[in-house]
Amino acid sequence: MHAGGAARLRTVTLAVLTLSLTAAATGCGNDSGGQSGEVKVGIALPTTKQTRWVSDGDNMKALFKKQGYKADVQYAEDSVDEQIKQVEKMIDSGDKLLIIGAVDGFELGDALQKASRAGVKVIAYDRLLLGSSNVDYYASFNNYKVGELQAQYIIDKLGLKKGGNAGPYNIELFAGDANDNNVRGFFAGAMDTLSDFIADGQLQVPSDQKRLSQVTTYKWQAEIANETMTTRLGDFYKSSTVDAVLAPNDGIARGIIDALKKDHYGTAGKPMPIVTGQDAEIDSVNEIIAGDQSMTVYKDTRKLAEVAVKMAQDILSGKRPETNSDNNDSNDNGNKVVPAYLLAPVSVDKSNYKKLLVDSGYIKASDLN
Ligand code: BGC
């Protein structure tokens, strides 16, 4: 058969299939999972290393099941090749829609094109998929705001005021993986908030590592942040102490805290600096309770899962999903501005973790010290 004809035939067949499967899925709304005729969706997530992704996967799977869909959740353990394989397999096995939290936002272009050819819609989950027109929607948090909250916490705790002359206080800066698009948002939000205080000298960066390209952490690895912090303490803090550390997430914060403790921070004469975080992981909330980590940024992954699953259902039943951020620079993937729904992150510390994390059921009281 002529190639165009084959493609057309495939499109028509798929359209009919999609329609009938969508009807099956939307019509039943039960907990039956595994029945023939039910619509399958693929959920490709980057890693199980940060516990949040495990919750994201579990939450979405449960929500899809409730609505009568079958969800296949795969984790790539930070390997781009593995994720490409997983996504391609999902398309080949007939998944009707993909939800992807990319290991590397730029590397899935061919797989996304394959999805588009097969009529499979794609939702970028938490991390924007870059450089491709084959991304339909984006569900995430306001990543710029995450960085702003971290930086604002440091400013408030050090008592810095615009035009003031506090300090000078010593700060060290860290960022996540260079290939994770969110990292640019996190760092920009933080640095836009901190830069006036660095410029007027109330904050100083003894290591002089201030540009994003100088402070990224390969694959968000806590061990690497631990080594970097140890090196910076040895090289730049022989006769001074660090007052604040911009740590982009909880895993990296814990790596940094271990380095600080080895250098006797957290003892009577050498208080812990302010250390930020992100994700409200149980281990870090325990560090907050112990007074070692100062804050974390809580992103309610239950809500993000709800947004993504609702988006998927709408797409599969031919409706336009609700979005709240369609003209935002941060949703521009270099090829198109991807219509997005962005949730608000929240700053959490010792003063409000009970109300925000425990009372809301995000973390069980029994998991905390
Ligand atoms: C997510 C963070 C997470 C980090 C490492 C980012 O893209 O937004 O919540 O801590 O990846 O997995």
Side-chain angles (χ1 to χ4, degrees), residues 136-151:
D136 297 286
Y137 290 94
Y138 178 39
S140 189
F141 291 86
N142 181 333
N143 294 309
Y144 185 87
K145 183 86 193 161
V146 170
E148 272 186 338
L149 291 175
Q150 293 167 335

Side-chain angles (χ1 to χ4, degrees), residues 153 157 249-250 253-254 257 261 272 274-298 346-354 357 363 368-369:
Y153 194 89
K157 287 292 160 188
N249 80 345
D250 285 349
R254 293 196 299 274
I257 288 167
K261 282 187 171 166
M272 265 292 175
I274 298 160
V275 180
T276 61
Q278 169 179 197
D279 291 335
E281 290 188 347
I282 291 168
D283 287 350
S284 278
V285 177
N286 277 326
E287 299 258 13
I288 290 174
I289 294 168
D292 290 336
Q293 188 171 323
S294 313
M295 63 89 74
T296 185
V297 176
Y298 167 42
V346 181
S347 187
V348 170
D349 69 0
K350 217 173 182 167
S351 71
N352 61 2
Y353 80 90
K354 272 201 185 119
L357 303 176
I363 290 182
L368 297 177
N369 294 336

Side-chain angles (χ1 to χ4, degrees), residues 47 50 52-53 126-127 143 180 182 186 220 249 278-279 299:
T47 179
Q50 286 83 31
R52 65 149 294 182
W53 299 111
D126 196 84
R127 299 175 174 176
N143 294 309
D180 174 352
N182 288 351
F186 300 151
W220 290 91
N249 80 345
Q278 169 179 197
D279 291 335
K299 304 193 297 185

Side-chain angles (χ1 to χ4, degrees), residues 95 166 237 269 276 328:
D95 289 356
Y237 291 89
T276 61
N328 191 325

Side-chain angles (χ1 to χ4, degrees), residues 208-236:
D208 206 30
Q209 305 294 291
K210 290 185 277 213
R211 287 200 310 275
L212 179 58
S213 60
Q214 297 174 313
V215 299
T216 52
T217 309
Y218 181 69
K219 293 190 193 287
W220 290 91
Q221 286 176 12
E223 306 73 37
I224 294 181
N226 176 283
E227 281 164 26
T228 306
M229 191 69 208
T230 303
T231 307
R232 287 194 206 168
L233 287 171
D235 290 354
F236 304 104

Side-chain angles (χ1 to χ4, degrees), residues 25-75:
T26 47
C28 60
N30 59 23
D31 274 341
S32 54
Q35 288 179 350
S36 64
E38 84 193 332
V39 173
K40 256 168 35 64
V41 297
I43 301 175
L45 295 175
T47 179
T48 54
K49 280 218 185 76
Q50 286 83 31
T51 52
R52 65 149 294 182
W53 299 111
V54 180
S55 312
D56 291 85
D58 292 350
N59 291 339
M60 281 192 277
K61 192 173 176 136
L63 287 171
F64 272 123
K65 191 174 176 198
K66 232 185 186 161
Q67 302 300 328
Y69 296 84
K70 185 164 166 43
D72 171 25
V73 185
Q74 298 287 330
Y75 291 93

